[in-house]
Every structure is written in structure tokens, then in C-alpha cells.
Amino acid sequence: MFMRVAAVIAFVCLALAVPGRAETEASSASGVAAPLPPPPVLVVYGSAEPCAAEARWLKALRPGAEERRALDGIVRDVQFVTVPRRPSVKDWEEDGSLSRAAMHGVRVLPTVILLDSRGRVFDVTEGGADAASLPGMAALLAEKAQRVRPVTVVNGVPKGGDPSEEAAAICRALEQVPAEAWFRDYPGTMKRLEKLNCTVPAFLNARAAALRLEKNRETAVLLCESFQACDAPSIRKCLEAWRKKVSDSSLSVEERQLILLSMVHPLWVRLENALYQDAHNAESEEAFHQAVAVLEEVRDMDPASVCGRRAHQLREELRKARLAAARFD
């Protein structure tokens, strides 16, 4: 749960649809069917400390490898993105590793994302490879790179027939596209599905993902602001924003605890430090008490959870440190 909430913090910006225009492949000519689509770009996501199966697949996609040479002429470029073990603020920022991973719907490492000539995700390959499966995976990747693009298939779905059949056919054309990319990369197609009152589970899942990722984008921005907030007004502004997020009824208890413990409590401690003027004053005292109150709030939500136990431990440490320092104040 905590990894899911942490991963949630990645950046995603949803593109706007162009009303009344069908999505097309960039090099397509009206009335002319190209024998092969334009070569795609591959974006390879790997971990900073890959296991053997992952390292083998990543090495095969590096320049000079036999499997990579087999892709020459089939793909336009291969980009590598390393997901760090310990993320920094930069990784959450726009075009950072975690931002790009969330935008492309990456769920496991390694993952190879295939982008068409307009930068839209049209297919994905997940997982590493052992020695026996390596040639097959490379061949499959080459085959995927040459497949007819989803937009071409969608534009070939007849209009005006049975709405449910039309919607189902469109969703089948997008089945290889991660749900996170449907609304961002294919906005015109999503409008078409909405007009058809589509109830296909894949579409409903994609719509939920779009809403979720928009919230995540806002959270990522708030994270960056919180890491950089040093003066009292900026810290108070971040505290107000996090409190608003905690009040979201869709959040689970675990998610609320994590936000309070990892963001709200540290911000109150930072505010106390910012307000301290050689000695405690009324404002710094209030910030300290609020920091302790947040720990108690987290503990009381679920004392047996990881965050609940950690909050209780921190509260006791703060209490003891406060008593020890009282004689110096």
C-alpha cells in the first residue's frame, strides 16, 4: 500500500482533445495505405540495481548487442530511463524518471514502452528475460514495432452501427495501450467512446486512471513545493494543502496515515524551526504542539499499522527530548 501511495506521487499531464478531428499517424496520406508505420521510439525503464533477468534484457537492448542490431531500421531510437532506488525531488519533477514512468503507465521493471511518431504509447513489453527467452523477446519487440497502430485500427471501425459493438471494437484496438495513456494520448478516441456511452470495463478503468493521475500530478507539484518550503508562509500554505488532501474521503486509513506522518508532521517540525528565535515563543510552541498532535492523530487512526507504531515511537522520542531540553529554554 505504501509503495502504491509513493508511486502515486509521480507527474502526469492530460492532453486536451481537438474537437471533431480524428487521430492519425503523422506520415499517413489520405487514401494511401502505408506498407509499414513509421519506426517507433522505445523507452526502456529499468531499476538502478537490476536483478539478473532484468540486467540481461537491458544489456540486450544496448547499442552493440546482437538483439539491438536486429532492431536497426525497425525502431528510430531507444531511450533508457533508470528508476532510482531512493528518489530525489528531481525524479518527481516534469520529465524526471518517476514522472515519465507514471505518464507511460509503468507498473513493473523492466518495461519497454513503444511510442508512435507522435509520441503516443501504442504497446508495452514488461519483464526481464532468461537466456532461453531472450531471442524470442527481441523478435516479439521487433514484431510489435511494425504492427498497425491503434489509431489506424480505430479509424477503420465503422460508425453509425450498433453503439455497443462499435465501442467494443475501439477498445479492442487499444487493448495493448496502458490504461494511464488512453485519455492523454488518444483524446479524440475517448470523446468518441463517451458519445457511444461506452461501458466496456477497459474504458471505465482508463477513465478512472485519468482522474487518478490528474490528482497524482497535483500531488507531485505539492511534494516539490513542500520539499522547497523554508519560510513560515510557504510552510503554512503547504500544510493547508496537505490537510485538504487528507480530508479526501476516497483515501484509505493507510494513505491518510502516510500523508500525515511523511508530510504534515515534518512540515510542522520545520515550521517550529523557522519560528524559533534563540528561544521558544508562542508561535514556535504552537508548531511543536501541532507536530506532536499529528503523531497522536496517526497513532489513533490505527495503532497496529506500520505508520501507527512509528508515530507512537516518534511521539515518545519528541516527548523525552522536550523534557531534556526544557531546562535550557
Side-chain angles (χ1 to χ4, degrees), residues 19 22 55 142 203 212 218 272 302:
F203 171 72
R212 182 174 64 250
E218 296 171 357
E272 178 199 5
D302 184 358

XYZ file of all heavy atoms in Angstrom, residues 19 22 55 142 203 212 218 272 302:
70
model
N -11.439 18.981 -30.892
C -12.813 18.594 -31.228
C -12.986 18.346 -32.717
O -12.506 19.097 -33.553
C -13.634 19.808 -30.766
C -12.783 20.495 -29.761
C -11.372 20.281 -30.208
N -10.175 13.392 -36.151
C -9.736 12.031 -35.857
C -8.234 12.014 -35.651
O -7.497 12.804 -36.231
C -10.117 11.103 -37.016
N 18.833 -7.334 -15.898
C 20.111 -6.884 -16.448
C 20.380 -7.501 -17.813
O 20.901 -6.837 -18.723
C 21.242 -7.237 -15.478
N 10.420 -6.590 -32.008
C 10.511 -6.148 -33.403
C 9.160 -6.257 -34.107
O 8.780 -5.387 -34.893
C 11.557 -6.981 -34.136
N -12.460 0.728 -20.791
C -12.669 2.170 -20.919
C -12.943 2.797 -19.554
O -12.405 3.861 -19.232
C -13.828 2.450 -21.872
C -14.259 3.895 -21.890
C -13.464 4.864 -22.482
C -15.450 4.290 -21.289
C -13.850 6.199 -22.487
C -15.842 5.615 -21.294
C -15.040 6.570 -21.903
N -7.423 9.662 -11.565
C -6.451 9.374 -10.511
C -5.112 10.047 -10.815
O -4.473 10.631 -9.928
C -6.279 7.868 -10.384
C -5.314 7.451 -9.261
C -5.311 5.948 -9.087
N -4.818 5.257 -10.269
C -5.570 4.519 -11.080
N -6.863 4.389 -10.849
N -5.048 3.903 -12.121
N -1.182 16.745 -9.317
C -1.301 17.812 -8.327
C -0.492 17.479 -7.076
O 0.153 18.363 -6.483
C -2.770 18.020 -7.965
C -3.633 18.507 -9.122
C -5.109 18.488 -8.786
O -5.461 18.033 -7.672
O -5.918 18.921 -9.630
N 8.271 24.954 13.197
C 8.781 25.275 14.531
C 10.200 25.822 14.442
O 10.547 26.827 15.080
C 8.773 24.029 15.417
C 9.336 24.282 16.817
C 9.754 22.998 17.523
O 9.696 21.924 16.891
O 10.147 23.078 18.701
N -4.847 4.002 13.619
C -4.612 2.556 13.618
C -3.296 2.298 14.340
O -2.230 2.297 13.718
C -4.564 1.999 12.195
C -4.410 0.484 12.173
O -4.304 -0.115 13.267
O -4.388 -0.106 11.075
